[in-house]
Amino acid sequence: MTDGVERTVVVAGAVCHEGRLLAARRTAPAALAGRWELPGGKVEPGESPEHALTRELREELGIETEPLERLPGEWQLNGRLVLRAWEVRLLKGEAQPLQDHDAVRWLTSEQAFDVDWLEQDIPFVRDVVARLRSY
Ligand code: DCM
């Protein structure tokens, strides 16, 4: 970092299972409530992004997952937050909206754009949908 600004990474998981992609509907803040996202959250100080993603998906959806590879690109959410995404494999559990979401959907590649995604997630969704059939 050259400008002295402390940046926080927000990690998002494109969880893929049996040819479907997991989408979660946000409950907050008001401006984002009702929009669909690749679930995730902020990396804590000293935590790796992969660990943060595994933790967030367990806390928010009750699933055990394994991050695979990072998807290309990133999105500057604001001066402090940058969004990065990973392709993620489901290991165990049934995704339920335990916190921060009120619905989840497993989308086939045909359904992938049926939900109102946060704009910044769309490039990651597009990328991972192209690989969905290999799960
Ligand atoms: N965010 C996003 N796309 C995601 C996950 C999060 O754009 N897939 C944004 C929404 C918030 C910020 O990151 O502005 C922090 O997310 P959260 O509120 O889930 O910690």
Side-chain angles (χ1 to χ4, degrees):
M1 217 54 49
T2 54
D3 56 9
V5 178
E6 190 87 18
R7 286 200 173 77
T8 297
V9 176
V10 177
V11 288
V15 185
C16 301
H17 186 61
E18 295 180 346
R20 291 171 186 255
L21 170 66
L22 182 62
R25 193 170 64 190
R26 291 186 66 103
T27 53
L32 304 183
R35 307 288 300 280
W36 293 77
E37 69 172 5
L38 299 173
K42 295 189 188 82
V43 178
E44 291 176 356
E47 189 180 39
S48 71
E50 289 87 354
H51 184 274
L53 192 50
T54 307
R55 174 181 55 71
E56 291 281 352
L57 294 172
R58 182 184 299 129
E59 288 172 2
E60 294 184 355
L61 300 164
I63 52 174
E64 295 302 322
T65 56
E66 177 190 19
L68 299 175
E69 61 184 281
R70 192 179 144 194
L71 297 170
E74 62 181 26
W75 182 267
Q76 199 71 45
L77 289 160
N78 58 42
R80 282 193 50 250
L81 290 182
V82 62
L83 177 68
R84 295 180 182 158
W86 270 255
E87 188 176 354
V88 171
R89 192 158 69 94
L90 177 69
L91 297 178
K92 210 167 100 187
E94 204 154 308
Q96 297 171 61
L98 301 176
Q99 65 183 47
D100 301 342
H101 304 105
D102 63 1
V104 295
R105 280 188 68 179
W106 285 101
L107 303 166
T108 63
S109 52
E110 290 76 17
Q111 299 165 334
F113 296 97
D114 288 359
V115 301
D116 185 18
W117 291 103
L118 297 178
E119 285 86 359
Q120 55 270 25
D121 285 25
I122 290 176
F124 300 123
V125 173
R126 208 174 274 136
D127 192 279
V128 85
V129 160
R131 318 169 186 203
L132 261 187
R133 286 177 209 284
S134 57
Y135 286 88

Short mmCIF file of all heavy atoms in Angstrom, two decimals, residues 10-12 26 28-29 32 37-42 60 77 81 83 100 118 120-121, ligand 1:
data_model
loop_
_atom_site.label_atom_id
_atom_site.label_comp_id
_atom_site.label_asym_id
_atom_site.label_seq_id
_atom_site.Cartn_x
_atom_site.Cartn_y
_atom_site.Cartn_z
N VAL A 10 -13.40 -7.75 1.04
CA VAL A 10 -14.67 -8.47 1.19
C VAL A 10 -14.57 -9.69 0.28
O VAL A 10 -14.29 -9.54 -0.92
CB VAL A 10 -15.88 -7.60 0.78
CG1 VAL A 10 -17.18 -8.40 0.88
CG2 VAL A 10 -15.96 -6.35 1.64
N VAL A 11 -14.77 -10.86 0.85
CA VAL A 11 -14.68 -12.09 0.06
C VAL A 11 -16.07 -12.60 -0.25
O VAL A 11 -16.96 -12.56 0.61
CB VAL A 11 -13.86 -13.18 0.80
CG1 VAL A 11 -12.39 -12.84 0.81
CG2 VAL A 11 -14.36 -13.40 2.22
N ALA A 12 -16.26 -13.06 -1.47
CA ALA A 12 -17.55 -13.59 -1.89
C ALA A 12 -17.32 -14.99 -2.45
O ALA A 12 -16.32 -15.23 -3.14
CB ALA A 12 -18.18 -12.69 -2.95
N ARG A 26 -29.99 -10.68 0.28
CA ARG A 26 -29.59 -9.86 1.43
C ARG A 26 -30.79 -9.26 2.17
O ARG A 26 -31.79 -8.93 1.55
CB ARG A 26 -28.70 -8.70 0.97
CG ARG A 26 -27.32 -9.13 0.48
CD ARG A 26 -26.48 -7.90 0.19
NE ARG A 26 -26.18 -7.15 1.40
CZ ARG A 26 -25.01 -7.19 2.04
NH1 ARG A 26 -24.03 -7.93 1.59
NH2 ARG A 26 -24.83 -6.46 3.12
N ALA A 28 -29.92 -6.65 4.51
CA ALA A 28 -29.44 -5.33 4.95
C ALA A 28 -28.18 -4.96 4.15
O ALA A 28 -27.53 -5.85 3.61
CB ALA A 28 -29.10 -5.38 6.44
N PRO A 29 -27.80 -3.68 4.13
CA PRO A 29 -28.57 -2.53 4.57
C PRO A 29 -29.79 -2.30 3.65
O PRO A 29 -29.92 -2.97 2.61
CB PRO A 29 -27.57 -1.38 4.44
CG PRO A 29 -26.66 -1.81 3.34
CD PRO A 29 -26.54 -3.30 3.48
N LEU A 32 -29.51 -2.41 -0.08
CA LEU A 32 -29.15 -3.68 -0.74
C LEU A 32 -30.13 -4.80 -0.42
O LEU A 32 -30.05 -5.88 -1.01
CB LEU A 32 -27.73 -4.11 -0.34
CG LEU A 32 -26.59 -3.11 -0.58
CD1 LEU A 32 -25.26 -3.74 -0.19
CD2 LEU A 32 -26.56 -2.66 -2.04
N GLU A 37 -26.78 -11.98 -3.90
CA GLU A 37 -25.31 -11.88 -3.91
C GLU A 37 -24.68 -13.25 -3.82
O GLU A 37 -25.33 -14.24 -3.46
CB GLU A 37 -24.83 -11.04 -2.74
CG GLU A 37 -25.04 -11.71 -1.38
CD GLU A 37 -24.40 -10.98 -0.21
OE1 GLU A 37 -23.86 -9.88 -0.40
OE2 GLU A 37 -24.43 -11.54 0.90
N LEU A 38 -23.41 -13.27 -4.14
CA LEU A 38 -22.56 -14.40 -3.79
C LEU A 38 -22.21 -14.17 -2.32
O LEU A 38 -21.62 -13.13 -1.99
CB LEU A 38 -21.29 -14.39 -4.65
CG LEU A 38 -21.52 -14.51 -6.16
CD1 LEU A 38 -20.20 -14.33 -6.91
CD2 LEU A 38 -22.15 -15.87 -6.52
N PRO A 39 -22.61 -15.07 -1.43
CA PRO A 39 -22.46 -14.79 0.00
C PRO A 39 -21.00 -14.72 0.44
O PRO A 39 -20.12 -15.32 -0.17
CB PRO A 39 -23.17 -15.98 0.66
CG PRO A 39 -23.17 -17.04 -0.38
CD PRO A 39 -23.22 -16.37 -1.70
N GLY A 40 -20.77 -13.97 1.51
CA GLY A 40 -19.41 -13.81 2.02
C GLY A 40 -19.38 -12.72 3.06
O GLY A 40 -20.36 -12.51 3.76
N GLY A 41 -18.25 -12.02 3.14
CA GLY A 41 -18.16 -10.94 4.13
C GLY A 41 -16.73 -10.44 4.25
O GLY A 41 -15.86 -10.79 3.45
N LYS A 42 -16.52 -9.66 5.28
CA LYS A 42 -15.22 -8.99 5.43
C LYS A 42 -14.17 -9.90 6.05
O LYS A 42 -14.44 -10.65 6.98
CB LYS A 42 -15.38 -7.76 6.33
CG LYS A 42 -16.27 -6.68 5.74
CD LYS A 42 -16.20 -5.41 6.60
CE LYS A 42 -17.22 -4.39 6.13
NZ LYS A 42 -18.56 -4.64 6.67
N GLU A 60 -23.17 -17.79 8.09
CA GLU A 60 -24.36 -17.22 7.44
C GLU A 60 -25.31 -18.28 6.89
O GLU A 60 -26.51 -18.06 6.82
CB GLU A 60 -23.94 -16.29 6.29
CG GLU A 60 -23.20 -15.06 6.78
CD GLU A 60 -22.87 -14.09 5.65
OE1 GLU A 60 -23.13 -14.42 4.48
OE2 GLU A 60 -22.33 -13.02 5.97
N LEU A 77 -15.38 -1.35 -3.84
CA LEU A 77 -16.73 -1.01 -3.36
C LEU A 77 -16.79 0.44 -2.92
O LEU A 77 -17.76 1.14 -3.13
CB LEU A 77 -17.12 -1.91 -2.20
CG LEU A 77 -17.41 -3.37 -2.59
CD1 LEU A 77 -17.31 -4.28 -1.38
CD2 LEU A 77 -18.79 -3.48 -3.22
N LEU A 81 -13.12 -0.58 0.92
CA LEU A 81 -13.50 -1.99 0.73
C LEU A 81 -13.29 -2.45 -0.71
O LEU A 81 -13.72 -1.78 -1.65
CB LEU A 81 -14.98 -2.19 1.06
CG LEU A 81 -15.45 -2.07 2.51
CD1 LEU A 81 -16.95 -2.35 2.59
CD2 LEU A 81 -14.71 -3.06 3.41
N LEU A 83 -13.86 -5.87 -3.23
CA LEU A 83 -14.55 -7.16 -3.34
C LEU A 83 -13.76 -8.11 -4.23
O LEU A 83 -13.39 -7.77 -5.36
CB LEU A 83 -15.93 -6.92 -3.96
CG LEU A 83 -16.80 -8.14 -4.25
CD1 LEU A 83 -17.27 -8.82 -2.96
CD2 LEU A 83 -18.00 -7.74 -5.10
N ASP A 100 -28.09 -12.55 7.88
CA ASP A 100 -27.82 -11.61 6.78
C ASP A 100 -28.59 -11.87 5.48
O ASP A 100 -28.52 -11.08 4.54
CB ASP A 100 -26.32 -11.54 6.44
CG ASP A 100 -25.47 -11.11 7.63
OD1 ASP A 100 -26.05 -10.56 8.59
OD2 ASP A 100 -24.25 -11.34 7.61
N LEU A 118 -26.52 -8.11 -7.15
CA LEU A 118 -25.76 -6.87 -6.98
C LEU A 118 -24.90 -6.71 -8.23
O LEU A 118 -24.27 -7.68 -8.67
CB LEU A 118 -24.85 -6.96 -5.74
CG LEU A 118 -25.52 -7.12 -4.38
CD1 LEU A 118 -24.46 -7.25 -3.28
CD2 LEU A 118 -26.44 -5.94 -4.08
N GLN A 120 -22.07 -5.53 -8.91
CA GLN A 120 -20.64 -5.86 -8.81
C GLN A 120 -20.37 -7.37 -8.79
O GLN A 120 -19.26 -7.80 -9.04
CB GLN A 120 -20.00 -5.18 -7.60
CG GLN A 120 -20.67 -5.45 -6.28
CD GLN A 120 -21.77 -4.46 -5.94
OE1 GLN A 120 -22.36 -3.84 -6.82
NE2 GLN A 120 -22.05 -4.30 -4.66
N ASP A 121 -21.42 -8.16 -8.49
CA ASP A 121 -21.24 -9.61 -8.47
C ASP A 121 -21.38 -10.23 -9.86
O ASP A 121 -20.95 -11.36 -10.09
CB ASP A 121 -22.28 -10.26 -7.54
CG ASP A 121 -21.95 -10.05 -6.06
OD1 ASP A 121 -21.26 -9.07 -5.74
OD2 ASP A 121 -22.40 -10.86 -5.23
N1 DCM B 1 -20.77 -7.09 -1.07
C1 DCM B 1 -20.93 -7.20 -2.44
N2 DCM B 1 -21.03 -8.41 -3.02
C2 DCM B 1 -20.96 -9.53 -2.27
C3 DCM B 1 -20.79 -9.46 -0.87
C4 DCM B 1 -20.69 -8.21 -0.30
O1 DCM B 1 -20.98 -6.18 -3.12
N3 DCM B 1 -21.06 -10.70 -2.88
C5 DCM B 1 -20.66 -5.77 -0.47
C6 DCM B 1 -21.90 -5.34 0.28
C7 DCM B 1 -21.37 -4.44 1.34
C8 DCM B 1 -19.95 -4.93 1.58
O2 DCM B 1 -19.62 -5.76 0.49
O3 DCM B 1 -21.28 -3.12 0.82
C9 DCM B 1 -19.76 -5.67 2.89
O4 DCM B 1 -20.56 -6.81 2.86
P1 DCM B 1 -21.27 -7.37 4.18
O5 DCM B 1 -22.26 -6.32 4.58
O6 DCM B 1 -21.92 -8.65 3.73
O7 DCM B 1 -20.19 -7.59 5.17
#
